[in-house]
Amino acid sequence: MLNFTVGPVMSESSVLEEGAKSAPYFRTPEFSNIMIENEKLMLEFLNAPDNSRVIFFSSSGTGAMESCVMNLLSDKDKILVVNGGSFGQRFVEMCQLHKRNFTEIKCEFGKQIKPEQLAEFDGKDYTAFLVNMGETSSGVLYDMNLISDFCKKNNIFLIVDAISTFISDEIDMAALNAGAVITGSQKALACHPGISVIALNSDAIKRVQENNEICMYLSLKEALKNGERGQTPWTPAVTTLLEINKRLVGIKENGGIEAVRNHIKKINSAFRGFIKTLPFDFVSESMSNTVTSLHPVNVGAKSIIETMKNDYGIWICPNGGEKADVVFRVGHIGNITDDDNKTLMDAFADMQKRGLL
């Protein structure tokens, strides 16, 4: 099966070879050195400011999102949350669950956030801002420079969910003045699921130390303390962490983040140019490099997804809720070759020839 979803995605051979091994014992100097290298490379690739730290949770990205809501924010905060799709809604629900004082900035599905939407909150004493940099359900890439400038102007602590955008879209933690940036192992890092990653600047670390924690397993205090020695407080997804090391070192040795991003751009550019000839509408007005969300004009999205899987051996992404039969998504991350991309486009062309689109 070819995998054109947005995660888990196809992995390179070096990552797969690491994943095929038995997990080693991890309370060793050797594993600590690997974890320290993972932290160093993540900070480098994010252009994190001095004195930043990275922690690794054995969870999906949602675990890291919730830890940030629990441990970086408190009942003293007045929070803005961008909600333009499934993952913005997830932040909203977390804030509700943990009784945070928040206000939604509602964005229409697939639409860019506008300056006037932020302007109404200028000078209103908000202290924190939550945003999914790439709203994966619609494929929109939010204007992070606009958001960053607003947060700097109002002295607002910025938390960025970059789970599906890290590597594929540019993110400069220092330039954005982002307090926390979240990502995960199964997206453009192209490893197996199981690890979420949070980069924290010095302001975020101060918040961790000053806030009263209400959890154990997702404790940022414990993760930071154990990370000083290259360890995690609890048994981690050891093999996935070793895969991440292979991937990060490989990126470093083969042209860096820009080389990976340029390949993703090449893949999505070819696909988007081709797909314009078919009876689909683009959903997002400002697309992430990660994914293309499409609205089929003549048929339901579910039938396209099923036909791709059953007739062509290709996975593409469904959407959820009321969008389940209205929108489907095609991912461009992971170990996708030009030939793989051509196979996908040929499958769409054949579906059109068969009258299935």
Side-chain angles (χ1 to χ4, degrees):
M1 293 286 291
L2 286 177
N3 186 349
F4 285 87
T5 68
V6 289
V9 298
M10 296 187 289
S11 304
E12 295 176 347
S13 58
S14 62
V15 171
L16 293 174
E17 288 166 7
E18 195 66 45
K21 299 175 185 176
S22 293
Y25 183 60
F26 64 99
R27 300 296 192 198
T28 63
E30 292 80 7
F31 185 78
S32 291
N33 288 338
I34 286 171
M35 290 295 291
I36 290 167
E37 184 175 40
N38 283 350
E39 180 174 28
K40 175 177 177 290
L41 289 171
M42 284 296 304
L43 291 172
E44 177 183 338
F45 292 161
L46 284 166
N47 193 35
D50 292 343
N51 301 314
S52 295
R53 294 284 308 281
V54 172
I55 65 98
F56 299 88
F57 279 139
S58 291
S59 75
S60 69
T62 300
M65 291 168 68
E66 186 165 27
S67 181
C68 286
V69 171
M70 287 191 293
N71 300 316
L72 292 177
L73 305 176
S74 74
D75 55 10
K76 298 176 184 177
D77 279 302
K78 189 177 174 183
I79 306 160
L80 290 168
V81 184
V82 177
N83 185 1
S86 301
F87 296 95
Q89 179 63 28
R90 190 165 299 178
F91 264 142
V92 166
E93 291 171 1
M94 288 175 180
C95 287
Q96 290 171 334
L97 177 65
H98 296 288
K99 296 180 171 55
R100 298 296 183 237
N101 176 19
F102 74 97
T103 302
E104 286 182 70
I105 301 175
K106 291 286 286 185
C107 290
E108 189 178 343
F109 191 76
K111 299 299 183 183
Q112 182 60 266
I113 191 167
K114 303 296 193 294
E116 55 268 26
Q117 291 177 280
L118 297 179
E120 67 175 285
F121 300 107
D122 262 329
K124 298 291 180 64
D125 299 323
Y126 282 90
T127 60
F129 195 109
L130 293 172
V131 62
N132 316 95
M133 175 177 168
E135 175 49 72
T136 321
S137 63
S138 70
V140 71
L141 180 70
Y142 288 122
D143 185 341
M144 291 307 302
N145 290 327
L146 173 69
I147 291 170
S148 173
D149 289 347
F150 168 79
C151 290
K152 290 172 184 174
K153 177 183 176 183
N154 289 277
N155 194 30
I156 292 174
F157 180 75
L158 175 60
I159 297 175
V160 180
D161 161 14
I163 293 169
S164 66
T165 52
F166 172 63
I167 297 177
S168 57
D169 294 293
E170 184 177 357
I171 178 167
D172 186 320
M173 189 172 174
L176 293 175
N177 195 34
V181 175
I182 305 166
T183 191
S185 56
Q186 80 277 20
K187 302 291 186 177
L189 270 172
C191 299
H192 283 105
I195 295 294
S196 60
V197 185
I198 312 175
L200 304 168
N201 72 5
S202 57
D203 289 338
I205 293 167
K206 184 179 179 183
R207 278 177 168 260
V208 171
Q209 302 305 335
E210 292 178 350
N211 283 351
N212 292 321
E213 284 193 331
I214 56 169
C215 63
M216 179 179 286
Y217 190 73
L218 295 178
S219 165
L220 290 177
K221 282 188 176 73
E222 289 295 326
L224 286 168
K225 182 172 70 176
N226 282 267
E228 291 174 3
R229 61 190 180 97
Q231 287 288 331
T232 58
W234 328 111
T235 302
V238 175
T239 300
T240 306
L241 287 165
L242 295 174
E243 291 176 358
I244 287 173
N245 185 253
K246 286 288 185 183
R247 175 67 166 150
L248 293 174
V249 170
I251 290 171
K252 177 77 171 176
E253 292 176 347
N254 291 283
I257 288 284
E258 282 298 323
V260 181
R261 187 176 299 133
N262 287 338
H263 177 71
I264 294 169
K265 287 179 180 178
K266 179 184 176 185
I267 292 294
N268 72 40
S269 178
F271 176 79
R272 289 168 183 171
F274 160 78
I275 213 72
K276 288 177 182 177
T277 66
L278 299 182
F280 302 133
D281 293 328
F282 290 109
V283 171
S284 172
E285 64 182 11
S286 178
M287 288 185 277
S288 164
N289 289 319
T290 300
V291 60
T292 302
S293 289
L294 295 164
H295 166 58
V297 176
N298 301 322
V299 298
K302 291 180 180 179
S303 68
I304 294 172
I305 293 164
E306 285 299 306
T307 301
M308 272 288 174
K309 181 182 72 171
N310 296 331
D311 293 8
Y312 301 98
I314 296 173
W315 282 313
I316 56 177
C317 256
N319 226 317
E322 63 183 16
K323 304 291 185 184
D325 205 32
V326 179
V327 173
F328 70 92
R329 298 170 291 160
V330 174
H332 311 296
I333 53 177
N335 188 31
I336 297 171
T337 66
D338 292 338
D339 285 343
D340 294 335
N341 209 32
K342 184 177 185 303
T343 298
L344 173 68
M345 292 185 287
D346 287 346
F348 273 113
D350 190 61
M351 287 179 69
Q352 184 181 41
K353 184 178 178 181
R354 294 167 61 195
L356 299 177
L357 299 179

Coordinates of all heavy atoms in Angstrom, one line a residue, residues 196-225:
S196 N 5.4 12.4 21.2 CA 5.1 13.8 20.9 C 6.3 14.6 21.5 O 7.0 14.1 22.4 CB 3.8 14.2 21.6 OG 3.8 14.0 23.0
V197 N 6.5 15.7 20.9 CA 7.7 16.6 21.3 C 7.2 18.0 21.6 O 6.4 18.5 20.9 CB 8.7 16.6 20.1 CG1 9.9 17.3 20.5 CG2 9.0 15.2 19.6
I198 N 7.7 18.5 22.7 CA 7.4 19.9 23.0 C 8.8 20.7 23.2 O 9.6 20.3 24.1 CB 6.6 20.1 24.3 CG1 5.4 19.1 24.3 CG2 6.1 21.5 24.5 CD1 4.6 19.2 25.6
A199 N 9.0 21.7 22.4 CA 10.1 22.6 22.7 C 9.6 23.8 23.5 O 8.6 24.4 23.2 CB 10.7 23.1 21.3
L200 N 10.4 24.1 24.5 CA 10.0 25.2 25.5 C 11.1 26.2 25.6 O 12.3 25.9 25.8 CB 9.8 24.6 26.9 CG 8.8 23.4 27.0 CD1 8.9 22.8 28.4 CD2 7.4 23.9 26.8
N201 N 10.7 27.5 25.5 CA 11.7 28.6 25.7 C 11.8 28.9 27.2 O 11.1 28.3 28.0 CB 11.4 29.8 24.8 CG 10.2 30.6 25.3 OD1 9.6 30.3 26.3 ND2 9.8 31.6 24.5
S202 N 12.6 29.8 27.5 CA 12.9 30.1 29.0 C 11.6 30.6 29.7 O 11.4 30.3 30.8 CB 14.0 31.1 29.1 OG 13.7 32.3 28.4
D203 N 10.8 31.4 28.9 CA 9.5 31.8 29.5 C 8.6 30.6 29.9 O 7.9 30.6 30.9 CB 8.8 32.8 28.6 CG 9.5 34.1 28.5 OD1 10.2 34.5 29.4 OD2 9.3 34.8 27.5
A204 N 8.5 29.7 28.9 CA 7.7 28.5 29.2 C 8.2 27.7 30.4 O 7.5 27.2 31.2 CB 7.7 27.6 27.9
I205 N 9.6 27.6 30.4 CA 10.1 26.8 31.6 C 9.8 27.5 32.9 O 9.5 26.8 33.9 CB 11.7 26.7 31.3 CG1 11.9 25.8 30.1 CG2 12.3 26.1 32.6 CD1 13.4 25.8 29.6
K206 N 9.9 28.8 32.9 CA 9.5 29.5 34.1 C 8.0 29.3 34.5 O 7.7 29.1 35.7 CB 9.7 31.0 33.9 CG 9.4 31.9 35.1 CD 9.7 33.4 34.8 CE 9.3 34.2 36.1 NZ 9.5 35.6 35.8
R207 N 7.1 29.2 33.5 CA 5.7 28.9 33.7 C 5.6 27.5 34.3 O 4.8 27.3 35.2 CB 4.9 29.0 32.4 CG 4.5 30.4 32.1 CD 3.8 30.4 30.7 NE 3.1 31.7 30.5 CZ 1.8 31.9 30.7 NH1 1.0 31.0 31.1 NH2 1.3 33.1 30.5
V208 N 6.4 26.5 33.8 CA 6.3 25.2 34.3 C 6.7 25.1 35.8 O 6.0 24.5 36.6 CB 7.2 24.2 33.5 CG1 7.4 22.9 34.2 CG2 6.8 24.1 32.1
Q209 N 7.7 25.8 36.1 CA 8.2 25.8 37.5 C 7.3 26.5 38.5 O 7.1 26.1 39.6 CB 9.6 26.5 37.6 CG 10.7 25.8 36.7 CD 10.8 24.3 37.0 OE1 10.5 23.8 38.0 NE2 11.3 23.6 36.0
E210 N 6.6 27.6 38.0 CA 5.7 28.4 38.9 C 4.3 27.8 39.0 O 3.6 28.0 40.0 CB 5.7 29.8 38.3 CG 7.0 30.5 38.5 CD 6.9 32.0 38.0 OE1 5.9 32.3 37.3 OE2 7.9 32.7 38.2
N211 N 3.8 27.1 38.0 CA 2.4 26.6 38.0 C 2.3 25.3 38.8 O 3.2 24.5 38.9 CB 2.0 26.3 36.5 CG 1.6 27.5 35.8 OD1 1.5 28.6 36.3 ND2 1.4 27.3 34.5
N212 N 1.1 25.2 39.5 CA 0.8 24.0 40.2 C 0.4 22.9 39.2 O -0.6 23.1 38.5 CB -0.3 24.2 41.2 CG 0.2 25.1 42.3 OD1 1.3 25.0 42.8 ND2 -0.7 26.0 42.8
E213 N 1.1 21.8 39.2 CA 0.7 20.7 38.2 C -0.4 19.9 38.8 O -0.5 19.7 40.0 CB 1.9 19.8 38.0 CG 2.9 20.4 37.0 CD 4.0 19.4 36.5 OE1 4.3 18.5 37.2 OE2 4.5 19.6 35.4
I214 N -1.2 19.3 37.9 CA -2.3 18.5 38.3 C -2.3 17.1 37.7 O -3.2 16.4 37.5 CB -3.7 19.2 37.9 CG1 -3.7 19.5 36.4 CG2 -3.9 20.4 38.7 CD1 -5.1 19.9 35.9
C215 N -1.1 16.8 37.2 CA -0.9 15.4 36.6 C 0.4 14.9 36.9 O 1.3 15.5 37.4 CB -1.1 15.6 35.0 SG 0.2 16.6 34.3
M216 N 0.6 13.6 36.6 CA 1.9 12.9 36.8 C 2.5 12.5 35.5 O 3.6 12.9 35.2 CB 1.7 11.7 37.7 CG 3.0 10.9 38.0 SD 2.8 9.5 39.0 CE 2.6 10.3 40.6
Y217 N 1.7 11.7 34.7 CA 2.3 11.1 33.5 C 2.7 12.2 32.5 O 3.7 12.1 31.8 CB 1.3 10.1 32.9 CG 2.0 9.3 31.7 CD1 2.9 8.3 32.0 CD2 1.7 9.6 30.4 CE1 3.5 7.6 31.0 CE2 2.2 8.8 29.4 CZ 3.1 7.8 29.7 OH 3.7 7.1 28.7
L218 N 1.9 13.3 32.4 CA 2.2 14.3 31.4 C 2.9 15.5 32.1 O 2.7 16.7 31.7 CB 0.9 14.8 30.7 CG 0.3 13.7 29.8 CD1 -1.0 14.3 29.2 CD2 1.2 13.3 28.7
S219 N 3.6 15.3 33.2 CA 4.2 16.3 33.9 C 5.4 16.9 33.2 O 6.4 16.2 32.8 CB 4.7 15.8 35.3 OG 5.7 16.7 35.9
L220 N 5.4 18.2 32.9 CA 6.5 18.9 32.3 C 7.6 19.1 33.3 O 8.8 19.0 32.9 CB 6.1 20.2 31.7 CG 5.1 20.2 30.5 CD1 4.7 21.6 30.1 CD2 5.8 19.5 29.4
K221 N 7.3 19.2 34.6 CA 8.4 19.4 35.6 C 9.2 18.1 35.6 O 10.5 18.2 35.6 CB 7.8 19.6 37.0 CG 7.3 21.0 37.3 CD 6.9 21.1 38.8 CE 6.5 22.5 39.1 NZ 5.2 22.9 38.6
E222 N 8.6 16.9 35.6 CA 9.3 15.7 35.7 C 10.1 15.4 34.4 O 11.2 15.0 34.4 CB 8.4 14.5 35.9 CG 7.8 14.5 37.4 CD 8.9 14.2 38.4 OE1 9.9 13.5 38.1 OE2 8.8 14.8 39.5
A223 N 9.5 15.8 33.3 CA 10.1 15.6 32.0 C 11.4 16.5 31.9 O 12.4 16.0 31.4 CB 9.2 15.9 30.8
L224 N 11.3 17.7 32.3 CA 12.4 18.6 32.2 C 13.6 18.1 33.2 O 14.7 18.1 32.8 CB 12.0 20.0 32.6 CG 11.2 20.8 31.5 CD1 10.6 22.1 32.1 CD2 12.1 21.1 30.3
K225 N 13.2 17.7 34.4 CA 14.2 17.2 35.3 C 14.9 16.0 34.8 O 16.2 15.9 34.9 CB 13.5 17.0 36.7 CG 14.5 16.5 37.8 CD 13.8 16.4 39.1 CE 12.8 15.3 39.2 NZ 12.2 15.1 40.5

